[in-house]
Amino acid sequence: NAGVTQTPKFQVLKTGQSMTLQCAQDMNHNSMYWYRQDPGMGLRLIYYSASEGTTDKGEVPNGYNVSRLNKREFSLRLESAAPSQTSVYFCATDVLSAPGDEQYFGPGTRLTVT
Amino acid sequence: AQSVTQLGSHVSVSEGALVLLRCNYSSSVPPYLFWYVQYPNQGLQLLLKYTTGATLVKGINGFEAEFKKSETSFHLTKPSAHMSDAAEYFCAVSPDDKIIFGKGTRLHILP
């Protein structure tokens, strides 16, 4: 089992370009999450999907959109990248999005916007 | 709003010495608490979690944490540090269907 996979691993964009970060899981989990990690800021939730067909905003959703394509896949789209979106992006999953559920993380995508 | 505070963004200990990483949470109800570890260029992985029951929780790699409600703390300890423990550690709280992470503490191990 691969667990949680993310593509690409690295990406450099110019300001204004668009791109989609892909996340897939083979653990049959219902809930999926997108975080960004910046130095000294910890992890901040961008969007999450408690179950297939639903998505909700997290703490820092501006400038991003998401699609829960099916139970396995949850993508994050930057329509017009800005230097402030330079970050490491992590996808995570958990079984049921219930209090106390642990989350399982992918390896991350390192994005630089110039 | 629920939150977690990790004291010290960087902690250095000598190999073989006690590791103590501090975490305090704010919560009006007993929370679910976690410690995650992030090794360089990797995602986070769960070290241990507290839900209910025994307040001393044992995790992987010899780490443990004690839930102290009176102090609203959930400090992480390991009796003897190893070079392989060098990583970033995140305390987290789960008040509802989401997890709120602290800002992280980077642990440096001195030879």
Side-chain angles (χ1 to χ4, degrees):
Chain A
N1 289 348
V4 182
T5 57
Q6 293 182 237
T7 55
K9 286 186 169 49
F10 302 93
Q11 184 71 48
V12 178
L13 292 178
K14 295 186 188 303
T15 297
Q17 288 184 319
S18 62
M19 79 162 295
T20 299
L21 283 65
Q22 306 284 356
C23 174
Q25 53 105 354
D26 62 3
M27 295 183 289
N28 201 34
H29 285 175
N30 289 293
S31 305
M32 300 184 74
Y33 305 80
W34 276 106
Y35 293 91
R36 60 178 289 172
Q37 182 181 25
D38 302 290
M41 300 292 288
L43 274 77
R44 293 181 290 170
L45 183 64
I46 305 171
Y47 271 95
Y48 67 105
S49 171
S51 60
E52 186 178 354
T54 69
T55 60
D56 286 286
K57 295 179 180 180
E59 181 185 355
V60 289
N62 291 346
Y64 305 94
N65 286 299
V66 290
S67 295
R68 183 74 184 265
L69 304 169
N70 47 54
K71 189 172 185 178
R72 291 188 63 248
E73 297 171 291
F74 188 38
S75 63
L76 178 72
R77 183 160 178 83
L78 288 69
E79 291 290 353
S80 179
S84 61
Q85 294 178 304
T86 293
S87 189
V88 182
Y89 292 86
F90 288 99
C91 177
T93 72
D94 68 25
V95 176
L96 276 177
S97 188
D101 271 359
E102 65 184 86
Q103 292 183 3
Y104 297 80
F105 284 80
T109 294
R110 283 157 180 75
L111 176 66
T112 301
V113 183
T114 62
Chain B
Q2 306 259 3
S3 67
V4 288
T5 302
Q6 294 185 239
L7 298 177
S9 57
H10 293 263
V11 170
S12 295
V13 300
S14 297
E15 191 173 18
L18 171 72
V19 175
L20 170 61
L21 303 182
R22 298 177 188 275
C23 173
N24 289 88
Y25 65 91
S26 66
S27 175
S28 58
V29 296
Y32 299 103
L33 294 158
F34 307 81
W35 276 100
Y36 282 83
V37 61
Q38 183 182 32
Y39 297 105
N41 300 313
Q42 294 186 26
L44 280 69
Q45 62 185 81
L46 183 71
L47 265 182
L48 50 83
K49 71 173 181 179
Y50 170 79
T51 52
T52 59
T55 56
L56 182 62
V57 182
K58 295 187 184 299
I60 61 171
N61 300 337
F63 284 93
E64 61 184 35
E66 187 170 11
F67 170 61
K68 291 188 177 180
K69 184 178 177 182
S70 61
E71 299 177 7
T72 61
S73 69
F74 191 57
H75 302 331
L76 182 70
T77 60
K78 181 174 180 178
S80 177
H82 191 273
M83 295 300 289
S84 61
D85 295 326
E88 189 154 21
Y89 293 79
F90 293 91
C91 183
V93 62
S94 174
D96 48 33
D97 58 346
K98 296 182 287 296
I99 294 180
I100 300 167
F101 290 88
K103 295 189 187 309
T105 297
R106 187 166 296 278
L107 177 63
H108 305 270
I109 310 297
L110 306 174

